Amino acid sequence: MDFDLNDEQKMLQETVTRFVAETYDFQKREHALRTPDGWSREAYAGLAEMGLLALPFAEEDGGFGGGGVEMMIVMEALGRGLMVEPYFATVVLAGGVLRHGASAQQRGDIVPGIAAGERILTLAHGEKGLPRHTLAARTTASASGDGWTLDGRKIAVLHGQSADTFIVSAITGEGLSLFLVDAAAAGVTVEGKRGYDGVPVATLALSGVNVPKDALIGATGQGEGILARVFEEATAALVAESVGAMAETFDVTVDYLKTRQQFGVAIGSFQALQHRAVEMLMQLELSRSMAILAALSLDSDADQRSRNISAAKAQIGKSGRIIGQEAVQMHGAIGITAEYKVGHAFKRLTAIDALLGDRDWHLARLVEKRGVYPASA
Amino acid sequence: MKLDFTPEETAFRDEVRTFLKEALPEDLRRKMINRDHLTKEDTVRWQRILNARGWAVTHWPVEYGGQAWTPAQRYIFQEEMALAHAPEGSPFNVNMIGPVLCKFGTPAQKDRFLAVTANIDIWWCQGFSEPGAGSDLASLKTTAVRDGDHYVLNGQKIWTTQAQHADWMFGLFRTDSSGKKQQGITFLLLDMKTPGITVRPIETIDGEHDANEVFFDDVRVPVENVIGEEGRGWDVAKHLLGSERSGIARIGLSKERLSQLRALESRLAADGTLTDEEQRRLAHKLAEVEVELRALELTQLRVVAADAHGGGANAAASILKVKGTEMQQRMTELVAELAGPAGLAMPDHDHAPNDPDDGWIGAAAPFYFTMRKVSIFGGSNEVQKNIIAKTMLGL
């Protein structure tokens, strides 16, 4: 049992935390949100320069072979800065599909571009009218000539408006399958919106989109298995990101309690607020424990992994809500203004709960598995 | 980073497991499972079995009978004890006065008390709280006035757990009221047979008699029974209340309760007590409680690991008392919900053994009621939050 980071991990933590603190303050973020992309190419290039975009990929693909702990470190730091750049969409989600499903040829074609920050990929999976976090899809891919023709509509595609390539899930005769779709292909329509958390989000319409044979990732029918694995890794990453956002929210709130004066004293001298700040700290530490558990579970057997990751996501759903709501409340009116960081953290925490299965979804999965602890424990 | 215990720790776990399997008397194990009342003799018997193995007072310094265990070993030992349904020894002997004597006792006091404390040849009770001094403990008023080689005690203690069984009391008494209230408090040991002591029972909401009032009427205590210095008792008390954080959340106990809940879930579903809808709701509640227990367990392990490096201030440690007690209470609350109207009938007051199959039903609600105390004693959860706000948050 050991909860210490090794020297390399400590260095990674120091580097990325300093990068976020020094180059991505709240004003920079606000500025990025107002650009046409809605995020900062400069900041993303900075992540590329540090090698973070290559982090989880295998060394033979030009990556660093980083595991769950390294991803936790990076995501927590990005969470502190409420970074809206496409790291999660491109490196974690699309990158995860590439790592777990793509051929060496496909990885060789795509990973270097991702690592350099030149290519933006994202996963297009969710659809309207289906359960909100499911491996099912209604989008179809039918064999046509030497390739496939895709038809369907995808929602909540993170950074869809910036993507040069989509990874699209679609039903074939053998079940759910994954395809690389060029954003410039005929029949692709992207309708972009700004997410309430600042992260751009899009609807992707596919109307008779033809893709070549080698656009298929893995074999037909392998989509479910690949996505299930990727979603677990991505959930662990989101849990870590939420811990960063919670930690930042907590720190800002405690500072505010010490400086905001009312009735002639700092409001942090009031016991009603002190106890609530302590509850925030407790929720933060419970969540941090679960982020560690999730990160360390990625290489466990499938059953234990999914129990631990669902437990972690369920925990941060609750803790994130408590910390976000309490931070806004204790700040008072300033907490609900767009010009102040806490409200944005609250919104990102809300989005994180909604993504990849909310607290209720993961609790339901735990019910199905008869709990967090295996029966023998 | 890794979660697994080392091979040495796993071997230690097996050793503890094997010992408990062989050494824990079956009748005691049954009583624990059935939530039967444990007598003083039950506790003493088990403590002596542990003591013979050298495992009664493991966190005392080695020269006084402790074990040079790592924090991980202490955690494992405590968890295995709970999972094996082993009774806990007397906390007053093992966790409170023992460590105080080891740190502050004179050589003569150590010789006189440590071995008999470890073996519960004497049973201790704690005289801290008073009617006017609960959370504000330092405002205690029971006086100890010097008279030659003795102090003369007058006043009253309250909530004194198991005073009716106790041979000796350790307590806080006011020897000087001229300065700050934390000053002028003296930590004393006294024989409960001393003339002038009256113990009066307090019945608690679970129908049990565990708490007492203790009255002092010109009780003479020899000066040699001061622990530390006269007037410095507050420092001794702070040490006592601050020790032993590896087990403060009592994760093992909550895990044992969880396994009871899981067993009841299956049984009550099978025998038709729970409707499908109730089963669904219960399963959801259990999933919620397990998520939090897992988070708490990991937090406890982080503290254990930090303690292995010398510990120090740790945000994770401060939450364990508050969240650990909330968790213990939640478990008993769920069992009481499951007992339902069948649980209205209280267990027999003569402490006849509970029925092995259905005993839990009558025990459920009283246990729920009495467990409200865990967020009150030893510094209420509100006091804990005050401390965390001050020390961790600087508020």
Side-chain angles (χ1 to χ4, degrees):
Chain A
M1 201 178 60
D2 172 17
F3 294 96
D4 291 337
L5 301 177
N6 65 32
D7 288 345
E8 282 179 6
Q9 290 166 340
K10 276 185 201 150
M11 211 191 309
L12 173 66
Q13 186 178 50
E14 221 179 278
T15 311
V16 60
T17 305
R18 189 171 351 109
F19 172 80
V20 173
E22 287 175 1
T23 71
Y24 204 84
D25 64 15
F26 185 64
Q27 278 68 33
K28 288 259 173 61
R29 179 180 186 273
E30 284 292 282
H31 178 75
L33 291 177
R34 286 191 293 271
T35 62
D37 284 332
W39 53 279
S40 165
R41 299 262 169 193
E42 188 193 343
Y44 201 59
L47 298 178
E49 217 167 287
M50 288 186 290
L52 299 183
L53 304 183
L55 183 79
F57 296 103
E59 284 172 30
E60 73 237 37
D61 294 329
F64 294 102
V69 175
E70 285 78 14
M71 188 53 83
M72 173 180 78
I73 291 167
V74 173
M75 290 303 291
E76 184 181 339
L78 303 191
R80 269 213 176 250
L82 304 177
M83 287 188 79
V84 295
E85 284 60 40
Y87 191 85
F88 179 71
T90 298
V91 178
V92 178
L93 279 177
V97 172
L98 295 173
R99 286 191 294 113
H100 289 292
S103 65
Q105 173 75 47
Q106 288 167 327
R107 298 197 307 272
D109 286 347
I110 300 170
V111 172
I114 290 179
E118 289 155 5
R119 295 197 60 176
I120 306 299
L121 277 80
T122 189
L123 177 67
H125 171 63
E127 298 182 23
K128 202 166 172 238
L130 286 173
R132 283 172 302 179
H133 182 51
T134 173
L135 295 173
R138 290 208 186 99
T139 296
T140 56
S142 24
S144 68
D146 203 21
W148 302 87
T149 303
L150 276 66
D151 286 281
R153 195 176 167 79
K154 298 290 186 178
I155 60 165
V157 182
L158 303 176
H159 282 279
Q161 46 275 70
S162 299
D164 57 72
T165 305
F166 296 93
I167 294 174
V168 177
S169 60
I171 300 295
T172 62
E174 283 77 36
L176 195 73
S177 309
L178 298 168
F179 298 89
L180 290 160
V181 176
D182 192 324
V188 169
T189 315
V190 178
E191 193 194 333
K193 299 255 188 193
R194 186 168 148 180
Y196 62 67
D197 57 345
V199 177
V201 66
T203 301
L204 169 69
L206 302 152
S207 173
V209 177
N210 291 314
V211 298
K213 196 173 154 193
D214 64 4
L216 176 68
I217 293 175
T220 50
Q222 286 183 350
E224 275 193 28
I226 296 168
L227 284 186
R229 186 73 205 259
V230 170
F231 285 157
E232 292 200 329
E233 286 183 4
T235 302
L238 279 183
V239 168
E241 186 191 341
S242 82
V243 168
M246 284 187 232
E248 180 70 11
T249 308
F250 174 71
D251 290 348
V252 170
T253 305
V254 172
D255 275 350
Y256 189 77
L257 291 177
K258 287 176 184 167
T259 50
R260 170 70 174 166
Q261 300 268 326
Q262 286 289 274
F263 307 104
V265 292
I267 60 173
S269 63
F270 301 133
Q271 193 183 42
L273 300 189
Q274 288 176 358
H275 284 196
R276 288 161 62 178
V278 169
E279 181 63 35
M280 289 171 74
L281 172 68
M282 297 196 276
Q283 293 298 330
L284 170 61
E285 289 304 325
L286 291 174
S287 297
R288 188 181 294 286
S289 296
M290 291 309 252
I292 294 169
L293 177 70
L296 293 178
S297 298
L298 290 177
D299 297 323
S300 331
D301 71 86
D303 179 60
Q304 195 54 55
R305 182 173 68 227
S306 61
R307 285 176 201 260
N308 287 344
I309 285 172
S310 276
K313 188 67 163 51
Q315 178 66 47
I316 64 108
K318 174 181 169 181
S319 299
R321 195 168 291 196
I322 292 172
I323 287 176
Q325 291 178 355
E326 287 290 79
V328 169
Q329 177 67 23
M330 286 198 257
H331 274 86
I334 191 78
I336 52 170
T337 62
E339 67 184 44
Y340 195 71
K341 191 169 189 180
V342 154
H344 296 273
F346 170 48
K347 291 195 284 182
R348 181 59 189 157
L349 288 168
T350 304
I352 288 175
D353 185 33
L355 288 169
L356 302 185
D358 64 8
R359 172 170 166 85
D360 280 344
W361 189 93
H362 285 279
L363 286 172
R365 186 159 82 149
L366 289 169
V367 166
E368 212 173 281
K369 290 180 168 293
R370 232 177 119 68
V372 177
Y373 293 92
S376 60
Chain B
M1 281 196 168
K2 61 180 167 54
L3 280 178
D4 304 330
F5 286 120
T6 63
E8 293 77 19
E9 286 160 353
T10 309
F12 174 75
R13 162 163 277 177
D14 292 342
E15 185 191 351
V16 173
R17 214 169 263 186
T18 308
F19 166 76
L20 290 172
K21 211 170 173 182
E22 288 163 1
L24 178 62
E26 182 59 19
D27 62 314
L28 287 187
R29 198 177 77 89
R30 293 289 347 155
K31 274 190 163 186
M32 290 291 289
I33 292 172
N34 296 341
R35 310 281 183 246
D36 281 330
H37 178 83
L38 285 192
T39 63
K40 177 181 178 180
E41 289 67 36
D42 290 332
T43 303
V44 171
R45 175 153 61 112
W46 177 233
Q47 174 100 355
R48 288 181 185 166
I49 293 170
L50 284 177
N51 201 30
R53 178 67 180 77
W55 286 356
V57 291
T58 57
H59 59 286
W60 292 11
V62 175
E63 67 258 46
Y64 305 124
Q67 295 286 340
W69 284 351
T70 62
Q73 283 178 300
R74 295 188 197 293
Y75 176 83
I76 289 167
F77 181 71
Q78 200 161 28
E79 175 162 300
E80 289 302 318
M81 286 268 285
L83 294 177
H85 311 286
E88 297 185 338
S90 157
F92 305 106
N93 285 45
V94 175
N95 297 330
M96 296 182 188
I97 190 61
V100 160
L101 285 164
C102 292
K103 181 156 173 76
F104 297 97
T106 63
Q109 287 168 337
K110 287 173 181 167
D111 282 349
R112 182 172 176 198
F113 289 115
L114 278 177
V116 291
T117 295
N119 206 44
I120 323 197
D121 294 333
I122 58 175
W123 181 289
W124 289 91
C125 67
Q126 179 193 43
F128 277 19
S129 295
E130 295 181 9
S135 288
D136 181 16
L137 183 60
S139 69
L140 60 91
K141 290 194 175 67
T142 301
T143 52
V145 176
R146 185 75 181 257
D147 177 27
D149 291 341
H150 285 78
Y151 291 101
V152 180
L153 276 47
N154 279 288
Q156 182 197 348
K157 295 289 175 184
I158 196 168
W159 318 126
T160 316
T161 303
Q162 295 174 357
Q164 75 271 32
H165 299 317
D167 304 303
W168 278 73
M169 170 189 277
F170 59 88
L172 299 174
F173 298 89
R174 185 155 299 284
T175 43
D176 180 5
S177 47
S178 62
K180 263 181 66 183
K181 63 184 177 181
Q182 285 82 3
Q183 293 160 359
I185 291 173
T186 300
F187 195 107
L188 289 175
L189 311 180
L190 51 120
D191 188 332
M192 290 294 280
K193 290 187 292 296
T194 317
I197 296 177
T198 310
V199 177
R200 191 182 291 166
I202 300 172
E203 185 180 339
T204 40
I205 54 174
D206 55 346
E208 293 290 344
H209 166 211
D210 222 22
N212 301 275
E213 293 177 288
V214 181
F215 297 89
F216 303 89
D217 183 13
D218 286 333
V219 175
R220 295 182 71 82
V221 176
V223 170
E224 69 202 43
N225 289 3
V226 173
I227 297 291
E229 289 171 44
E230 179 182 303
R232 302 293 298 273
W234 190 248
D235 296 336
V236 180
K238 276 203 298 194
H239 175 80
L240 182 156
L241 295 169
S243 63
E244 255 307 87
R245 62 184 200 165
S246 78
I248 198 165
R250 304 176 98 197
I251 302 294
L253 213 62
S254 288
K255 276 186 163 178
E256 188 269 338
R257 307 247 152 89
L258 179 67
S259 69
Q260 183 199 11
L261 276 164
R262 284 292 179 192
L264 289 176
E265 181 193 24
S266 305
R267 213 177 109 189
L268 299 183
D271 74 6
T273 307
L274 295 176
T275 65
D276 289 352
E277 172 61 15
E278 284 171 332
Q279 285 177 46
R280 230 172 45 78
R281 293 175 64 87
L282 175 62
H284 188 84
K285 286 181 189 175
L286 289 179
E288 281 186 317
V289 88
E290 285 193 8
V291 166
E292 184 123 348
L293 179 59
R294 192 79 170 112
L296 198 56
E297 181 182 22
L298 260 292
T299 307
Q300 173 78 76
L301 289 171
R302 285 169 60 205
V303 172
V304 167
D307 281 349
H309 302 303
N314 185 330
S318 61
I319 81 167
L320 292 173
K321 166 91 195 317
V322 175
K323 287 293 164 193
T325 51
E326 286 176 4
M327 175 59 59
Q328 293 162 47
Q329 292 175 332
R330 181 75 182 126
M331 295 287 183
T332 58
E333 196 179 336
L334 285 170
V335 178
E337 280 179 22
L338 283 182
L344 286 170
M346 295 272 285
D348 290 335
H349 233 302
D350 59 2
H351 295 132
N354 290 328
D355 181 278
D357 286 330
D358 289 335
W360 71 272
I361 297 174
F367 198 39
Y368 161 51
F369 300 144
T370 191
M371 285 299 281
R372 303 316 296 173
K373 71 189 172 194
V374 298
S375 56
I376 299 170
F377 65 35
S380 72
N381 283 10
E382 287 69 28
V383 168
Q384 301 297 332
K385 288 181 184 178
N386 289 348
I387 293 169
I388 297 168
K390 192 172 161 197
T391 58
M392 311 289 316
L393 309 186
L395 292 175

